[in-house]
Amino acid sequence: MAQDSTKAARGASAHQLNKVGRGRMRIGFIAMLVFLLIIAGKLVMIQGLDVGQMAEAAQTQRTVKQVMPAVRGKIVDANGKVLAESILRYDITVNQVNSALYPEYKHYDPATQTTQSFTRDEGLQQLAGVLSLPVDQVRKAATGTKVFNYIVRDVSPAVESKVAALGVPGIYSQAQTKRVYPMGSVGGPIVGFVGSDGNGLAGIEQTMNAKLTGKDGSRTYQAGKNGIIIPTAPVETTPAVDGQTVKLTINEDIQYYAQQAAQQQKNQYSADWASITVLDVKTGKVIAIADSDSYDPNNPGASKTANVGSRTVSDVVEPGSTEKIVTTTGVMEMGLFNPMSHFLVPPSLTIGGQTFDDAFVHGTEKRTLAGIIADSMNTGTVMAGSKMTKQQRYDWLHKFGVGQKTGIDLPGESPGILVPWQQWDGRQEYTVLFGQGVAQTPLQSAYIYQTVANDGLRLKPQIIDSTTSADGTVATVKQAPGIRVMTPKTAAEDRVMLEGVATMSHYNAIHIPGYRVGGKTGTSEAPAANGVGFDGYTSSFIGMAPMEDPRYVVAITVQRPKGSIYGVTQGATFNQVMGQVLHTYNVPPSTTPPAMPPKFYK
């Protein structure tokens, strides 16, 4: 009985243990099931719902964005000749380590939407074919332990596009832009140059930098941890928008001709510098701004800093007798005199305690106003101009733009020097009547004569003709409204006297066969560089043609010519440059007789 009881107790205990064991197993199974459900839920959240944007973050980590640089716009002359342009080139490079990781790779062709397998050597053979290089050369450049090495440098965008389409692992491209100036030093100070960052540092490159600069594009693709492009991943391309083409009013042929003439003048007289400006009278457009020692924008560092800008717009000089036309305009416009007015001019004039002489010796002469201008007499000019008040003298200079920037689209322009009339001393109030005690740029002087030639309407200098966007849209620069300085009648009387310089004076060097021409010489003392006293002279001539209906102005300035100032003349140079201009633009010869106003009266 005792044994039966013991067996029964053991059976009950074993049953209890089995029951507990099954319960624990059930609990463990349930716990495992719950754990698996949690894991599955996490996977759904991560891969399906992307809670926390983890998938996006992973994609971002393997996204590579390559900049596709925009090409800087061109600068061209009035006839479309290229003065500056950027060439987009590429260097083809390799990461030799990454390249070796792919003895075989797959390449997806989006055109056919197919994927093909290639060996590394097959890929390098394809690359060699696109680059037109020996396979052994490409294979050698791509093999080794370098993370960067050149396959080839300076290839065209078309070739780079073919290289990218191959998708060879470890092969990359680097964009490079190079600014070139095909005409070299022709118009160098006008065109300017760019810095290492591609931004303009001088000339039109600087003032039109915003228009010339384009908008970079991009190429976005997926790459693995080792930097290799994932073949089947999509490639997104945002095209670059190239900069605008800037068309100038400059005529490259005349610019070249004028530069040669300016350099000849500087060399002939061992001068500091020389400048020649050519203008279209009716439009205000600049045809040429020629400075001696013009630099080559391809290598601006080879030139002196002083020659980098254009002296025509930045350097100021006393204009001398070319400014007398401002005085005649004032007295005639105010009704005080006309070209035939009579002046009894003494050998030497003393007025307001100041004495003035002429460049030649003469007795007391019965001169017309035209005769005074024809022989450039300071005495007679002061006699006429002194009939105006000091403020009126100042106002006429100001009306012609003296002491003000012209607004030309070139950097470094100087406004010149025209101090208020209240600050003039006893001598300056008279010397301003013949172009001393006042300073201006050669460009400002040229536009005084543009005003006279254009029937008294002063125009703003225009050097930008138009801009053309990458899509071909052309924006033409509108001519700025002119400023009426004098009546057409007074302008015509000024021109009669300017033509008399060529036909009636001792200065008979101005002559272009078949054309009526006129102009005015100018000589003044040049202020010393240290600002104390004077050091040499400024010699100039400004003329126009044809006089019956002036079309062009040519202004010549020579700073500090060496030797006797009386031996300096710009007559021959004016004839050459103006003759070239008239020929280039097919201006018909004059058909009317030249004006020959009398110098004397009886």
Side-chain angles (χ1 to χ4, degrees):
M1 288 293 293
Q3 292 179 350
D4 291 340
S5 297
T6 301
K7 289 180 179 180
R10 288 177 178 174
S13 177
H15 177 73
Q16 187 67 26
L17 289 172
N18 289 335
K19 185 176 180 181
V20 171
R22 285 195 298 274
R24 289 176 176 175
M25 290 179 63
R26 187 178 294 111
I27 292 170
F29 177 76
I30 292 172
M32 183 177 292
L33 182 62
V34 170
F35 177 74
L36 291 174
L37 287 173
I38 291 173
I39 295 297
K42 287 286 186 181
L43 288 173
V44 170
M45 292 174 69
I46 292 173
Q47 296 186 352
L49 302 179
D50 194 18
V51 176
Q53 298 180 328
M54 297 179 69
E56 182 180 347
Q59 181 179 3
T60 300
Q61 287 182 339
R62 64 175 183 264
T63 298
V64 178
K65 188 173 184 179
Q66 182 183 20
V67 175
M68 307 293 289
V71 178
R72 188 173 177 84
K74 295 179 181 179
I75 300 174
V76 301
D77 85 333
N79 296 315
K81 292 183 180 179
V82 177
L83 303 175
E85 65 180 334
S86 289
I87 301 175
L88 180 61
R89 309 294 287 180
Y90 288 88
D91 296 336
I92 307 302
T93 68
V94 62
N95 183 322
Q96 295 174 340
V97 176
N98 286 347
S99 177
L101 293 176
Y102 288 82
E104 293 186 1
Y105 66 96
K106 296 182 181 295
H107 175 60
Y108 175 74
D109 185 353
T112 60
Q113 296 185 343
T114 59
T115 301
Q116 292 180 279
S117 296
F118 296 97
T119 66
R120 175 176 180 272
D121 196 64
E122 288 173 336
L124 295 179
Q125 290 181 35
Q126 292 175 342
L127 179 63
V130 169
L131 297 177
S132 299
L133 294 174
V135 175
D136 290 344
Q137 180 180 330
V138 172
R139 188 181 294 117
K140 181 179 179 181
T143 304
T145 58
K146 296 179 180 178
V147 295
F148 179 88
N149 194 37
Y150 288 106
I151 298 290
V152 67
R153 307 188 70 169
D154 196 29
V155 302
S156 69
V159 171
E160 187 277 339
S161 180
K162 293 179 181 179
V163 170
L166 294 176
V168 180
I171 302 299
Y172 309 96
S173 63
Q174 290 185 335
Q176 305 287 343
T177 57
K178 182 180 181 182
R179 195 68 167 167
V180 295
Y181 302 90
M183 299 300 173
S185 63
V186 179
I190 299 173
V191 177
F193 58 91
V194 299
S196 58
D197 61 355
N199 286 314
L201 295 180
I204 295 297
E205 293 277 30
Q206 178 180 339
T207 57
M208 298 297 290
N209 187 64
K211 297 285 187 182
L212 291 165
T213 303
K215 183 178 181 181
D216 291 342
S218 64
R219 179 190 291 160
T220 305
Y221 56 87
Q222 306 296 311
K225 291 182 178 180
N226 52 15
I228 303 300
I229 297 176
I230 299 174
T232 57
V235 177
E236 296 181 2
T237 301
T238 301
V241 178
D242 294 339
Q244 298 182 35
T245 293
V246 175
K247 183 179 180 180
L248 305 183
T249 61
I250 298 295
N251 180 300
E252 187 270 338
D253 291 333
I254 294 176
Q255 177 69 33
Y256 171 80
Y257 195 90
Q259 274 187 215
Q260 297 300 307
Q263 192 65 44
Q264 184 273 332
Q265 284 276 285
K266 185 214 168 185
N267 295 343
Q268 178 180 349
Y269 298 114
S270 300
D272 286 1
W273 53 267
S275 162
I276 297 179
T277 306
V278 183
L279 310 176
D280 184 314
V281 167
K282 308 297 185 183
T283 65
K285 292 182 177 181
V286 179
I287 296 173
I289 290 181
D291 296 283
S292 59
D293 301 308
S294 178
Y295 69 92
D296 185 348
N298 292 298
N299 186 20
S303 297
K304 296 179 180 179
T305 303
N307 293 329
V308 170
S310 172
R311 296 184 185 276
T312 305
V313 301
S314 62
D315 282 25
V316 295
V317 298
E318 290 193 348
S321 293
T322 58
E323 205 89 318
K324 287 175 181 174
I325 205 66
V326 175
T327 300
T328 63
T329 297
V331 297
M332 292 192 302
E333 189 74 2
M334 294 172 64
L336 299 174
F337 303 107
N338 61 57
M340 297 299 105
S341 293
H342 297 176
F343 294 85
L344 189 62
V345 183
S348 179
L349 175 68
T350 298
I351 183 171
Q354 303 294 323
T355 299
F356 299 95
D357 298 304
D358 292 317
F360 63 97
V361 178
H362 63 83
T364 299
E365 296 185 344
K366 296 179 179 181
R367 288 272 182 168
T368 62
L369 183 59
I372 288 171
I373 296 303
D375 287 333
S376 197
M377 301 175 74
N378 293 342
T379 51
T381 303
V382 171
M383 291 176 68
S386 62
K387 299 302 181 181
M388 297 187 291
T389 67
K390 289 190 288 185
Q391 182 170 352
Q392 288 169 338
R393 301 170 210 180
Y394 174 92
D395 289 344
W396 280 108
L397 289 165
H398 189 266
K399 285 180 182 180
F400 274 98
V402 180
Q404 309 157 62
K405 291 184 178 181
T406 66
I408 191 171
D409 289 310
L410 286 174
E413 183 182 15
S414 171
I417 302 172
L418 177 61
V419 299
W421 62 269
Q422 297 91 338
Q423 298 177 21
W424 290 348
D425 60 29
R427 188 166 185 82
Q428 188 178 13
E429 65 175 285
Y430 299 107
T431 61
V432 296
L433 296 170
F434 52 84
Q436 295 186 25
V438 59
Q440 58 210 46
T441 66
L443 185 69
Q444 289 173 316
S445 295
Y447 274 87
I448 288 176
Y449 281 71
Q450 176 276 321
T451 304
V452 173
N454 194 36
D455 280 340
L457 190 65
R458 177 162 67 92
L459 300 178
K460 176 184 176 181
Q462 182 181 344
I463 199 169
I464 306 297
D465 178 85
S466 62
T467 58
T468 303
S469 301
D471 63 2
T473 302
V474 178
T476 301
V477 177
K478 294 182 179 179
Q479 183 186 88
I483 298 173
R484 172 61 61 185
V485 175
M486 72 189 96
T487 63
K489 178 179 180 294
T490 299
E493 291 175 334
D494 275 336
R495 295 197 297 270
V496 166
M497 292 189 290
L498 291 175
E499 188 168 12
V501 173
T503 60
M504 298 295 291
S505 76
H506 64 280
Y507 188 77
N508 54 9
I510 306 304
H511 178 68
I512 301 176
Y515 295 93
R516 291 172 53 188
V517 296
K520 187 72 189 73
T521 58
T523 303
S524 63
E525 292 182 298
N530 61 8
V532 179
F534 296 91
D535 179 19
Y537 294 88
T538 302
S539 179
S540 58
F541 181 86
I542 309 177
M544 60 188 69
M547 294 306 292
E548 68 273 17
D549 182 20
R551 292 279 308 278
Y552 302 100
V553 163
V554 171
I556 306 170
T557 301
V558 179
Q559 181 69 336
R560 294 190 180 88
K562 304 302 185 291
S564 172
I565 190 64
Y566 299 108
V568 177
T569 175
Q570 285 81 51
T573 301
F574 171 82
N575 296 339
Q576 293 166 4
V577 175
M578 180 62 86
Q580 182 70 22
V581 172
L582 296 172
H583 174 75
T584 298
Y585 292 103
N586 297 313
V587 177
S590 299
T591 57
T592 56
M596 302 179 68
K599 294 196 297 182
F600 304 97
Y601 68 91
K602 295 181 180 179

